[in-house]
Amino acid sequence: MSGIKARLDAISAIINYKPSHAPLNFSETKPTEVFGCNVFNDKVMRERLPKDVYKSLKKTIELGQKLDPSIADTVANAMKDWAIERGATHFTHVFYPLTGLTAEKHDAFLVPDGKGGAVAEFSGKMLIQGEPDASSFPSGGLRTTFEARGYTAWDVTSPAYILENPNGTFLCIPTAFVSWTGEALDKKTPLLRSNQALNKQAQRILKLFGVQTKLPVVSYAGPEQEYFLIDRNFVFSRPDLLIAGRTLFGAKSAKGQEFEDQYFGVIPRRVLAFMMEVERELYKLGVPVKTRHNEVAPSQFEIAPIFEAGNLATDHNQMVMTVLRTVAKRYGLMCLLHEKPFAGINGSGKHLNYSIGSAELGSLFDPGDTPHENAQFLVFCAAAIRAVHKFSALLRATVATPSNDHRLGANEAPPAIMSVYLGEQLADVFEQIKKGKVEGSKQKGIMNIGVDTLPPLPMDPGDRNRTSPFAFTGNRFEFRAVGSCQSIAGSQVALNTMMAESLDYIATKLEAATAGDPAKLNAAVQSVIQEIIKAHDAVVFNGDGYSEEWHAEAEKRGLPNLKTTPDALPVLTSPEVVKLFTTYGVFSEAELASRKEIYLEQYVKTIQTEAALVVRMAKTIIFPAAMRYQGELAATCANLKAIGHDFKMTTLECVTAKLRDLQAKVAEFEKLLEHSAEDTLAEAKFMCCTVLPAMLEIRAVADALEAVVADDLWSLPSYQEMLFIR
Ligand code: ADP
Ligand code: MG
């Protein structure tokens, strides 16, 4: 299919769309029965494992104790029987390489029995460890190809599950992916390490407050996932959407999002049907999806689960993205997870609601009811403020991707400057502590922890500041800079480790000041919080993060403003960041260097691909359409002249001038692309500062042509059609 016919066929396919299968029926099978039915969860384990094995496994899952390898065979066997009963023929270790995607390699359970038959086999060793060929995954210099082996190691804390396909099912085992020398090649390993570091330091603080707890402190995450849905038929005539996931050309639609009639609006029928099936699939996998609604831009939507322990939430978010993509196809739709599929309307993010705590303690960012609990809350909160101030550049680097660059700082997402929003009341509490004297008496308006009764702290800061990248929302922080197609692992790894460093700092101070005497705790806490606020409240900002004034003010306060990915990624190997991660055993220096290299490489490759698409589309789609129109105009003019009309050939001249311009710009652009730089960073900078702006210039001419060329000659589906025909 090509040209205008494809465009018309797409529209007609949408108009005549009929669902290919019967509607879901939750009254036949209750959602409660569906939930977790494909997960090797606690209930299944208790039923199927011998008591001692179950108990031992539970200890590893809940308390983070080392896995006893002697139980692996028993667990593997139970898992295999369960999976085979549910139709599985294969198993796979699932892992999360640095591409940000989910990777799997399937193996059959069946092995020949040597007598002409076959038996199903799945040993403890196969459960615990796999050996995918790692050479095709990015390693950023961590591995040379002759030692290309990596191995996957069972992550006991994320349950195994079954994925369905129309032709069968298979067992999936979440794993960490490491090289033979033990370096992390994935997103999961550092996350697990960072949780250990966080727990160790958080426990020191809790101990000072006399809190007894069995369970480890972990990060919690609730990612709100935004996405676009457009009819799939359009994608086949848009090479940019198909290959790059975003439109590289396209004139603005007459109507965009300015009517604000989309947000929380009635969900279109087909989209709702899609959402229901997505939810059902996710329920089966035990993903606790909760919220669905329209988002701000036309054809933009959101799905959010109930928060879970960070590691599990991360795996679940990967599943959410996969399920969104696959189910969309069944409904004739394409799910776009790119951060900026369409220019001129909002892009998509993934607000990462982040807290730390445990099932026993709840969120440690939750103010309590008593002054004592409040004091503990203020310590954790002060730690977060200090962490974001000290490592704001790192936090920014964790959301640096070519696609997210289009969003950050574009007055629709938080700016690239990292700041903390506390809400008026909490900001005021810290302000007063800052002013107060440590041993000071009860002056009015000055707070002394444990001496004054702190005012009831905000459960919900009421007004929602949408422009802050890191906003306190009552019992958690909402990190709003994460991109919609990113893994949420990276930001959590940074947050956990930054928190560990701050808690370590505070615990060391408090331990020294109290010297084992709990009576001295309040004064010590007062003093350390005061000191932290004095040193770090530059990062606190409660105003409008989009405003010009804030950019100027932030600069005065010395807050980094790393506008683009090539600005931000070098932070990963800066001395402070290397020290942070190596001190807490989360990343080695080599692992950090590899990440910087891989992400820079991904940046370069992404823009190279887009640049190639721009050239190809300009030459083979846009130029020919405009030239045909030019021909028509020229013929009309000639005819009119022939019958004696005298007139100005305005449109013809306009099209001709733009065509010339387009041709010249594309030729120039192709020359530009011959450039080669000495290293990846230089190449990335070139892409950022030279290639991207040049792409936009070509786009401007092409979009202007779209606005004048006869619509029936234009073969690219328009913004109007893609965004408003459902
Ligand atoms: P909003 O759009 O108002 O920010 P949503 O309901 O869409 O809120 O999403 C809020 C997310 O925050 C949900 O995933 C929710 O489960 C999660 N959340 C709530 N409490 C916590 C917490 N203590 N830690 C982490 N995430 C949390
Ligand atoms: Mg929301």
Side-chain angles (χ1 to χ4, degrees):
M1 262 203 305
S2 73
I4 183 68
K5 181 165 182 310
R7 204 177 135 199
L8 292 178
D9 286 351
I11 296 171
S12 123
I14 297 163
I15 294 166
N16 299 313
Y17 170 80
K18 290 210 180 53
S20 59
H21 44 293
L24 291 173
N25 193 342
F26 273 122
S27 54
E28 263 166 32
T29 326
K30 299 268 177 282
T32 42
E33 278 167 52
V34 174
F35 191 83
C37 70
N38 281 349
V39 186
F40 194 73
N41 56 19
D42 188 62
K43 184 166 165 275
V44 180
M45 288 193 281
R46 204 172 10 196
E47 281 166 11
R48 291 180 176 252
L49 295 175
K51 232 189 188 119
D52 54 327
V53 173
Y54 171 74
K55 272 193 183 155
S56 163
L57 198 59
K58 242 354 227 182
K59 270 189 192 149
T60 307
I61 295 170
E62 279 181 358
L63 307 177
Q65 290 180 6
K66 233 181 151 49
L67 177 74
D68 171 6
S70 71
I71 65 167
D73 275 327
T74 314
V75 180
N77 211 34
M79 220 183 247
K80 177 196 73 188
D81 291 346
W82 172 79
I84 288 175
E85 279 167 33
R86 308 191 71 82
T89 52
H90 287 63
F91 69 94
T92 173
H93 279 196
V94 173
F95 55 104
Y96 307 96
L98 296 174
T99 52
L101 302 173
T102 306
E104 48 190 54
K105 176 193 164 219
H106 298 206
D107 279 298
F109 286 125
L110 278 196
V111 283
D113 64 359
K115 299 173 208 141
V119 289
E121 192 185 270
F122 187 56
S123 66
K125 193 171 169 284
M126 291 151 106
L127 167 64
I128 289 188
Q129 194 170 308
E131 283 177 41
D133 179 4
S135 57
S136 304
F137 291 103
S139 77
L142 275 183
R143 244 181 312 98
T144 37
T145 12
F146 59 87
E147 37 183 25
R149 280 181 160 194
Y151 71 92
T152 50
W154 179 29
D155 170 17
V156 189
T157 57
S158 186
Y161 55 92
I162 281 173
L163 277 187
E164 296 174 4
N165 173 282
N167 270 343
T169 71
F170 57 99
L171 172 68
C172 298
I173 300 150
T175 57
F177 181 41
V178 290
S179 74
W180 275 111
T181 40
E183 281 130 339
L185 298 174
D186 68 344
K187 303 246 173 195
K188 186 189 272 286
T189 310
L191 182 56
L192 296 173
R193 291 178 189 159
S194 72
N195 263 307
Q196 276 180 6
L198 172 71
N199 176 46
K200 196 166 162 203
Q201 303 306 329
Q203 293 294 349
R204 285 171 67 198
I205 303 280
L206 291 171
K207 191 167 166 223
L208 285 159
F209 278 92
V211 178
Q212 304 267 349
T213 172
K214 277 212 318 251
L215 299 179
V217 169
V218 295
S219 63
Y220 282 102
E224 302 167 44
Q225 176 75 53
E226 294 179 344
Y227 59 93
F228 278 87
L229 283 178
I230 65 164
D231 196 278
R232 240 180 130 215
N233 290 294
F234 288 133
V235 178
F236 302 125
S237 6
R238 297 260 354 182
D240 46 0
L241 274 180
L242 187 69
I243 304 296
R246 73 166 174 126
T247 53
L248 297 164
F249 295 100
K252 241 186 114 180
S253 153
K255 181 182 163 181
Q257 62 191 45
E258 51 289 274
F259 288 90
E260 295 171 344
D261 52 356
Q262 155 82 2
Y263 193 54
F264 285 1
V266 176
I267 300 172
R269 256 174 81 89
R270 175 156 56 138
V271 173
L272 186 57
F274 153 84
M275 286 176 170
M276 287 172 169
E277 182 154 343
V278 164
E279 285 159 9
R280 194 179 167 104
E281 290 299 321
L282 289 169
Y283 281 169
K284 287 187 199 164
L285 296 167
V287 182
V289 281
K290 172 119 178 125
T291 317
R292 60 180 182 221
H293 61 79
N294 285 4
E295 259 300 330
V296 172
S299 293
Q300 192 188 27
F301 308 92
E302 178 181 305
I303 180 169
I306 295 173
F307 70 97
E308 300 176 281
N311 178 40
L312 188 59
T314 305
D315 291 0
H316 279 172
N317 182 249
Q318 296 290 125
M319 289 181 201
V320 168
M321 291 195 284
T322 307
V323 169
L324 283 172
R325 284 196 182 105
T326 44
V327 174
K329 285 187 196 153
R330 286 184 222 154
Y331 286 81
L333 297 164
M334 175 81 152
C335 176
L336 303 172
L337 290 172
H338 192 286
E339 282 81 357
K340 194 76 178 177
F342 304 99
I345 55 173
N346 274 16
S348 301
K350 178 145 56 193
H351 294 177
L352 171 64
N353 291 272
Y354 171 84
S355 67
I356 64 173
S358 70
E360 257 177 308
L361 303 172
S363 167
L364 293 168
F365 291 140
D366 198 343
D369 304 323
T370 65
H372 186 74
E373 284 168 352
N374 275 339
Q376 184 191 303
F377 158 74
L378 289 174
V379 166
F380 283 103
C381 201
I385 294 169
R386 181 180 175 278
V388 177
H389 188 225
K390 269 196 83 171
F391 297 105
S392 78
L394 166 63
L395 196 55
R396 162 67 181 98
T398 65
V399 293
T401 67
S403 43
N404 209 20
D405 274 5
H406 298 291
R407 212 181 127 248
L408 294 182
N411 282 11
E412 55 168 65
I417 310 163
M418 297 293 122
S419 65
V420 180
Y421 170 82
L422 291 177
E424 224 173 273
Q425 206 182 352
L426 192 55
D428 184 53
V429 169
F430 278 114
E431 195 55 33
Q432 290 187 50
I433 294 175
K434 183 178 170 185
K435 284 189 210 135
K437 292 198 198 79
V438 181
E439 61 306 333
S441 59
K442 277 193 185 182
Q443 274 172 282
K444 208 168 175 238
I446 290 178
M447 253 172 234
N448 271 333
I449 285 162
V451 179
D452 294 328
T453 310
L454 290 172
L457 290 175
M459 291 304 159
D460 190 337
D463 54 330
R464 285 279 180 119
N465 182 321
R466 293 263 161 216
T467 66
S468 172
F470 200 73
F472 181 67
T473 53
N475 62 354
R476 61 188 185 272
F477 285 93
E478 190 169 329
F479 183 43
R480 303 210 178 99
V482 184
S484 50
C485 69
Q486 262 196 293
S487 158
I488 55 168
S491 297
Q492 280 182 86
V493 170
L495 285 166
N496 290 346
T497 317
M498 288 152 55
M499 277 302 290
E501 193 267 350
S502 271
L503 294 172
D504 181 2
Y505 174 85
I506 297 174
T508 305
K509 290 230 149 185
L510 294 181
E511 282 160 4
T514 54
D517 180 0
K520 292 185 182 152
L521 183 66
N522 283 335
V525 166
Q526 173 95 16
S527 148
V528 78
I529 293 182
Q530 191 177 32
E531 178 225 300
I532 285 177
I533 287 305
K534 276 188 181 157
H536 299 288
D537 73 348
V539 79
V540 176
F541 177 64
N542 289 314
D544 177 4
Y546 296 169
S547 67
E548 292 277 331
E549 297 85 67
W550 169 233
H551 284 247
E553 166 71 17
E555 198 180 333
K556 256 195 259 158
R557 296 191 191 182
L559 301 179
N561 183 2
L562 303 168
K563 293 205 174 83
T564 66
T565 296
D567 293 329
L569 285 177
V571 171
L572 294 180
T573 51
S574 66
E576 313 83 73
V577 169
V578 171
K579 179 158 178 261
L580 171 75
F581 282 123
T582 50
T583 304
Y584 297 96
V586 174
F587 283 120
S588 67
E589 196 166 354
E591 286 172 334
L592 284 167
S594 79
R595 271 143 189 90
K596 182 178 90 176
E597 185 63 22
I598 288 166
Y599 299 149
L600 279 171
E601 229 173 72
Q602 283 169 354
Y603 181 86
V604 170
K605 283 183 190 157
T606 303
I607 297 176
Q608 274 170 345
T609 307
E610 291 183 348
L613 277 165
V614 163
V615 172
R616 175 74 69 90
M617 288 174 73
K619 283 186 170 175
T620 66
I621 301 176
I622 293 160
F623 197 81
M627 214 160 55
R628 273 180 210 143
Y629 187 49
Q630 186 191 36
E632 268 186 25
L633 289 170
T636 310
C637 288
N639 288 343
L640 286 171
K641 281 251 157 76
I643 57 171
H645 273 276
D646 185 27
F647 58 94
K648 285 210 177 87
M649 297 183 287
T650 329
T651 313
L652 177 58
E653 268 156 23
C654 161
V655 170
T656 305
K658 286 195 167 46
L659 268 171
R660 263 197 217 114
D661 196 12
L662 184 69
Q663 205 166 27
K665 287 209 160 79
V666 171
E668 224 176 280
F669 187 62
E670 283 185 291
K671 275 217 201 85
L672 205 72
L673 295 178
E674 286 164 16
H675 170 275
S676 83
E678 63 272 21
D679 61 20
T680 326
L681 180 60
E683 190 67 30
K685 285 199 168 140
F686 178 74
M687 291 292 152
C688 178
C689 305
T690 312
V691 174
L692 279 177
M695 275 164 58
L696 280 180
E697 275 186 38
I698 296 175
R699 178 181 184 149
V701 184
D703 290 359
L705 277 169
E706 185 182 341
V708 285
V709 169
D711 186 66
D712 62 353
L713 293 176
W714 199 262
S715 69
L716 287 177
S718 69
Y719 267 35
Q720 212 146 287
E721 289 159 354
M722 289 187 287
L723 292 168
F724 291 98
I725 302 182
R726 289 167 195 155

